[in-house]
Amino acid sequence: MKEHDMEITLTTTKKEKPKSDQLEFGKVFTDHMFIMDYTEGSGWHDPRIVPYQSITLEPSAMIFHYGQSVFEGMKAYYTDDKDMVLFRPEKNFQRLNKSNDRLCIPEVDIDFALAALKKLIVIDKEWIPDAEGTSLYIRPFIISTEPYLGVSPSSRYKFIIIMSPVGSYYKEGIHPVKIAVEKEFVRAVVGGTGTAKTGGNYASSLKAQKVSEENGYSQVLWLDGVEKKYIEEVGSMNVFFKIDGEVVTPALNGSILDGVTRSSIIEMLEHWNIPVSQRKISMEEVYQAHQEGKLEEAFGTGTAAVISPIGEFFWNDEKLILNEGKTGELSTKLYNTITRIQTGKEEDQLGWITHVEEKVTQE
Ligand SMILES: *Cc1c(COP(=O)(O)O)cnc(C)c1O
């Protein structure tokens, strides 16, 4: 399947674009979308770019019943010299295939998916906002579409990419959030689907999130599903701690999602010669470090916010305040460096940037 096999139907009625200071997350979508079908026996077929539109499925389509689906989240940016770039997009498509494998969904061709995405971005390039901190959020996803109520992998799927212009995550500047350590619910268990980006993980996280919000916290800190001792993730982000000069993040243990931002931060810290380790870390260790004045910083990492500093943990009826509730030095430096690389303000020393247009014109 080659890019030139792709059929392109352009819209005849372009939508009005939101103003760059009024962008909300994931509410408005660009003029076009990518879609391709899978049918058992024929593989992936009919890749096409079409006007953004509703899709029709039978009520018996398997996605509605057993949740066999995967998704990704990535962003396109305008650099200061109007170059369109993506941040490590191959990592997202590699992870999509890992998620596919876990959910028994047929894998997609990574090079083709990336070429299709670039084409889609070029077609909708007017939708990439260029104000400071804004970007075009990209949501590739796959759903099972076979009309069948039996429990088995579907024989049909749709792979779709939609895109949405998004505003700065930190409209009023980067600020720390309050986190409640979750003691009742768990996000994932080893052997489950925690390492896959699949909708079910999000559905099962909503209750804890809702309760924490009702108590004045913005996210929960997820502990392991067996002993509820070891830290896994924060909300839908990976989590890092700076303790006595060393940066620690939970090792990928089979229930933690392997974040692209997480691995980028680890590489960046190694590049800076800042000690960083991936290991088990318990809430008790974090508590002790805080008691001894050694818990210097904590932050979540993910595509949407890049870095989300943590100003407070609520655990066992105690509030652990970090860094006087202010954004830490390392969090700030990481946030600034990564966002500056993403927008071409800083040299891409680690080779993270993919140009959207160069590649498209080469092929
Ligand atoms: C997507 C996701 C992350 C962050 O991954 P990035 O690739 O950095 O965006 C972390 N945890 C969970 C559960 C996720 O779904």
Side-chain angles (χ1 to χ4, degrees), residues 122-139:
V122 170
I123 288 172
D124 277 343
K125 66 177 165 194
E126 292 162 18
W127 284 87
I128 310 177
D130 58 4
E132 176 85 32
T134 62
S135 58
L136 186 65
Y137 185 80
I138 298 161
R139 169 56 57 88

Side-chain angles (χ1 to χ4, degrees), residues 181 283 286-288 290-291 295 310-315 318-322:
V181 181
M283 193 53 217
V286 168
Y287 179 78
Q288 284 304 331
H290 182 260
Q291 294 304 96
L295 181 58
I310 296 167
E312 177 187 325
F313 286 113
F314 185 70
W315 188 55
E318 271 190 71
K319 289 180 175 177
L320 316 184
I321 310 288
L322 279 82

